[in-house]
Amino acid sequence: MDSGFNHITVLLDEAVEALAVRPDGCYLDGTFGRGGHSRLILQKLGPQGRLLGFDKDPQAIATGQALAAEDGRFVIVQRSFAEMGAEVAERGLAGKVSGVLLDLGVSSPQLDDPQRGFSFMNDGPLDMRMDPSQGVSAAEFVNTATREEIARVFKEYGEERHAWRMAGAVVDRRESKPFERTADLAEVLKVANPAWEKGKNPATRTFQGLRIHVNNELGDLEAGLEAALESLEIGGRLVVISFHSLEDRIVKQFMRKLVKGESDNLPRDLPIQHVAFIPKIKIHGKALTASDAELKANPRSRSAVMRVAEKLR
């Protein structure tokens, strides 16, 4: 299914190369989107290879179903990658997966389609849910949450310095007219923001915070990283592409913790010199960002950061 909105896959070749795809391997694309990474992985798989894709977005699922009809090595599942552990276990693949790819954030078709309500650039229903059939929409949240809760979302997830003031403006305005449209909310937030950043819409950070909250993106990421590690076989690769500092911080801290290792089944009072700390993963290379050529072709790749790890035990 083609929604009519184009999506350019970020770090396409680099991410698939980092997976070190084996022809007979089993791989997970935790964020199928429009299938850019999945299609390249399938090109590298042999007849015995398998690829399992995950996505919450019904439009992405429709695209995945069309791909699955063309290629029997591929299966698409409408489920968050945070639940991949359960899906993998149900399929008897726990500890047998050769590689997991997570391309985080929101896709271009989601941002560009006004009907999805992710962006203030074009007016549309204030929704923001990746799966519109599940959970609470952005409109429901801003129309019912307390000022304290709205401010917390703006500050923690949007990293907005003026969160309290902007949350107050939202609460005051909804008393006379509840929010239904993206442009309406963006205008109220713009007026309430006392310090505009040059070249950035004053509603940018708050819209980011709302989207992250509505879709539980950071909670899903933490759960998904743990599920990915448990799903991987020894020597399996984890490749994660993040698009803002909050995501990248979680990924970086997760990997660093596992590189430092941990002691298994040893008494807590054992002297530190006798404790063997064994790393669970090793990190491959430094964090990678988009090349100059990719930045020129796709400006949305400017904030992408890719990190790669390999499971050791």
Side-chain angles (χ1 to χ4, degrees), residues 4-285:
F5 298 95
N6 294 323
H7 177 67
I8 303 175
T9 304
V10 174
L11 294 170
L12 173 60
D13 294 322
E14 294 87 344
V16 176
E17 181 181 352
L19 279 175
V21 177
R22 298 197 325 266
D24 63 345
C26 173
Y27 294 86
L28 304 184
D29 183 348
T31 46
F32 177 78
R34 292 305 182 267
H37 288 118
S38 282
R39 288 185 175 87
L40 187 54
I41 293 170
L42 287 168
Q43 289 179 22
K44 296 179 178 295
L45 287 176
Q48 303 304 314
R50 294 291 180 267
L51 175 61
L52 184 62
F54 292 80
D55 212 295
K56 295 191 287 188
D57 191 310
Q59 293 179 2
I61 293 300
T63 301
Q65 289 170 340
L67 179 59
E70 298 170 6
D71 195 324
R73 300 171 301 170
F74 176 71
V75 175
I76 186 73
V77 178
Q78 187 168 10
R79 205 168 185 178
S80 168
F81 63 74
E83 302 174 277
M84 73 170 68
E87 187 71 31
V88 164
E90 290 167 12
R91 295 174 180 271
L93 296 172
K96 300 177 182 179
V97 173
S98 309
V100 177
L101 173 63
L102 301 178
D103 181 6
L104 306 173
V106 64
S107 69
S108 293
Q110 289 169 328
L111 280 173
D112 295 339
D113 183 355
Q115 296 305 308
R116 302 302 302 275
F118 282 98
S119 174
F120 48 77
M121 299 300 290
N122 296 295
D123 187 34
L126 184 58
D127 195 311
M128 296 192 186
R129 291 173 293 177
M130 292 181 182
D131 180 354
S133 69
Q134 301 289 327
V136 174
S137 70
E140 291 176 87
F141 175 72
V142 298
N143 286 327
T144 60
T146 64
R147 180 179 182 176
E148 289 77 9
E149 179 65 7
I150 295 172
R152 183 189 68 80
V153 167
F154 287 174
K155 183 175 182 179
E156 290 186 15
Y157 300 151
E159 299 179 290
E160 172 55 62
R161 289 183 301 150
H162 306 289
W164 182 253
R165 175 171 175 163
M166 296 171 81
V170 169
V171 171
D172 289 343
R173 214 309 296 276
R174 77 186 186 193
E175 295 302 317
S176 58
K177 181 184 177 184
F179 291 96
E180 296 180 356
R181 311 286 294 182
T182 56
D184 184 22
L185 176 61
E187 181 63 26
V188 170
L189 293 171
K190 181 174 71 173
V191 172
N193 191 326
W196 294 16
E197 295 179 54
K198 186 177 181 180
K200 180 177 285 190
N201 188 297
T204 299
R205 293 181 181 276
T206 46
F207 263 65
Q208 171 186 286
L210 280 173
R211 191 203 79 218
I212 290 173
H213 172 73
V214 165
N215 294 289
N216 190 34
E217 292 179 34
L218 301 186
D220 276 7
L221 176 56
E222 291 174 344
L225 291 171
E226 294 287 353
L229 185 68
E230 294 303 313
S231 300
L232 286 171
E233 64 187 5
I234 303 302
R237 296 280 185 93
L238 171 61
V239 179
V240 187
I241 303 171
S242 58
F243 287 85
H244 59 72
S245 60
L246 296 176
E247 292 174 338
D248 186 53
R249 188 180 307 143
I250 290 172
V251 176
K252 181 167 60 177
Q253 291 176 349
F254 174 80
M255 290 185 175
R256 284 182 174 176
K257 178 186 69 175
L258 296 176
V259 166
K260 290 180 180 179
E262 59 188 12
S263 56
D264 289 332
N265 302 316
L266 293 173
R268 287 183 176 273
D269 58 352
L270 192 67
I272 190 67
Q273 62 266 29
H274 296 298
V275 178
F277 288 92
I278 308 170
K280 282 193 171 183
I281 66 167
K282 66 177 178 180
I283 294 175
H284 282 269

